Amino acid sequence: MKLKKLFLSVLSLFLILTAVKAREAVYTGDRYTISLIYNDSAFPGDAVFVRMRLSAPKGYKKSKTAAVLELRNKKKKIDSTDFFSIKNGINGVELLAGIPLSSLLEAEEYTLVITYSFSGSSPMEFTLPFIIKPKEFIQKTIPVGDKTVNTKNGSSSSRIEQAEKLSSILHTANAADIFQASKFSSPVTARRRIAEFAERIRYTYSGGGSCTKLQQGIDYAIPAGTTVSACADGKVVFAEKQTSTGLNVVIEHLPGLFSFYYHLDALSIKEGQIVKEGDKIGLTEAGESVFSSAFRWEICLNTVPVNPDFFTQDFAFDDKKK
């Protein structure tokens, strides 16, 4: 179906820059009003979230309301995702959508395109300005031994099976799984970090050769046996021991949004369990000595690793939606 352009003569638009570097937009028409708030800029490795409310007269068909968020660069599609419903009422619906921003994206101007069909109407679309700001990432070179190489590059059947299980989980986004659409908290009280998200790490092997990888989460230097807590409300979808990272836990918070906890010991939860923000999920394992350990925290949105620090802010505009 060919999309109908949303003419400014029909709908009026105004943009308001708020104190928290979020932007509001309001579209007013004869039958309904669209109000939304989103972050109009971000760094590579962060995300862009749009919270949208559609208000309409009583009796609208909420089951036939749908919307898609798309990120474009010079009319080229970069990524897209469906909005999911946070709140349904007799007079409208509140929707949320988020797109991960790869840490490899160029810093420049982009466009957000929202396509929606309200109460079974013909599809309409409008655009919003968006900017990815420049950011310098840390670069490191780390020498490693053959044993470490074998661990990192292992391809045992059990490891492949676990990887396939995780991939299946991350590619499953249930629109009904709404656990927490407000800012997250750190899973540990430790402040000392030994690796930041999206660091460019070059591994040089003692047997020759090298490879470069992107750090997918935040690594903390932390005492062995430290309590690790859930960063937000959610459902435990993975809790197993892996060869190179010990006991691992994955928690789903929103459709397509997951948190990862690596290098754990003595888990306090199990798969399928619903947890609250701050609930104990386990203890950190011992590292090279019984006194220290490296704990890793990751966040994944729509299968893409994103900066966990971004989600400790009001990323879904829960504090401002009222």
Side-chain angles (χ1 to χ4, degrees):
M1 183 183 295
K2 187 176 181 179
L3 296 178
K4 295 183 178 180
K5 188 171 181 63
L6 190 62
F7 293 101
L8 291 180
S9 59
V10 178
L11 300 180
S12 63
L13 164 67
F14 65 89
L15 296 176
I16 308 168
L17 190 62
T18 70
V20 293
K21 297 183 180 180
R23 182 168 284 196
E24 296 180 11
V26 176
Y27 297 81
T28 307
D30 294 335
R31 295 180 53 243
Y32 55 84
T33 298
I34 301 174
S35 59
L36 58 86
I37 184 169
Y38 75 107
N39 54 304
D40 65 347
S41 64
F43 293 108
D46 289 346
V48 55
F49 273 82
V50 179
R51 193 171 192 133
M52 180 167 65
R53 179 178 295 168
L54 294 91
S55 301
K58 184 178 179 179
Y60 83 99
K61 300 175 182 179
K62 60 185 180 183
S63 63
K64 294 185 178 181
T65 297
V68 175
L69 175 65
E70 183 177 312
L71 176 68
R72 293 181 186 173
N73 180 15
K74 298 176 183 177
K75 297 184 178 182
K76 178 182 177 181
K77 176 182 174 181
I78 303 298
D79 199 358
S80 67
T81 189
D82 292 336
F83 279 83
F84 50 87
S85 174
I86 294 178
K87 182 180 179 182
N88 263 316
I90 60 173
N91 294 321
V93 62
E94 192 166 331
L95 308 170
L96 183 69
I99 289 180
L101 305 174
S102 168
S103 63
L104 299 175
L105 281 176
E106 294 292 333
E108 55 186 328
E109 293 184 357
Y110 291 75
T111 302
L112 297 175
V113 181
I114 296 177
T115 305
Y116 70 97
S117 175
F118 188 49
S119 193
S121 64
S122 299
M124 306 286 275
E125 76 172 37
F126 58 89
T127 62
L128 300 169
F130 182 71
I131 297 175
I132 294 183
K133 299 178 290 186
K135 182 177 181 178
E136 292 291 331
F137 292 99
I138 298 171
Q139 300 188 36
K140 292 180 179 177
T141 298
I142 300 177
V144 294
D146 290 337
K147 182 178 180 180
T148 306
V149 174
N150 292 333
T151 300
K152 288 183 178 292
N153 298 331
S155 58
S156 66
S157 59
S158 60
R159 185 164 185 167
I160 293 174
E161 183 178 337
Q162 284 183 322
E164 291 176 346
K165 178 180 178 179
L166 262 178
S167 177
S168 176
I169 291 170
L170 298 181
H171 282 84
T172 302
N174 187 342
D177 290 342
I178 311 295
F179 297 102
Q180 182 165 323
S182 58
K183 62 182 179 181
F184 295 178
S185 60
S186 174
V188 292
T189 58
R191 295 181 179 276
R192 185 189 169 200
R193 299 180 177 188
I194 54 177
E196 295 285 355
F197 172 78
E199 285 186 2
R200 278 58 171 161
I201 305 175
R202 179 172 175 263
Y203 294 98
T204 57
Y205 304 138
S206 60
S210 67
C211 72
T212 299
K213 295 185 178 181
L214 295 178
Q215 173 77 8
Q216 295 188 344
I218 299 171
D219 285 358
Y220 295 85
I222 197 168
T226 297
T227 296
V228 175
S229 304
C231 68
D233 297 356
K235 180 180 179 180
V236 179
V237 293
F238 187 89
E240 293 184 14
K241 185 173 184 179
Q242 294 187 303
T243 304
S244 60
T245 53
L247 287 170
N248 301 335
V249 170
V250 181
I251 300 176
E252 179 186 25
H253 305 288
L254 290 171
L257 182 60
F258 301 84
S259 60
F260 294 68
Y261 311 79
Y262 292 102
H263 304 292
L264 299 179
D265 190 22
L267 297 184
S268 303
I269 46 79
K270 59 183 179 181
E271 289 185 13
Q273 183 176 335
I274 303 299
V275 295
K276 293 292 185 181
E277 181 178 352
D279 282 354
K280 178 181 177 181
I281 62 175
L283 304 174
T284 56
E285 66 179 359
E288 295 181 356
S289 73
V290 296
F291 303 108
S292 65
S293 177
F295 164 71
R296 176 173 294 179
W297 178 36
E298 295 182 4
I299 299 285
C300 186
L301 174 61
N302 300 345
T303 74
V304 178
V306 283
N307 185 3
D309 285 334
F310 176 81
F311 293 88
T312 61
Q313 309 171 60
D314 187 23
F315 71 92
F317 314 107
D318 183 67
D319 293 339
K320 303 167 191 64
K321 65 185 180 67
K322 297 179 181 179

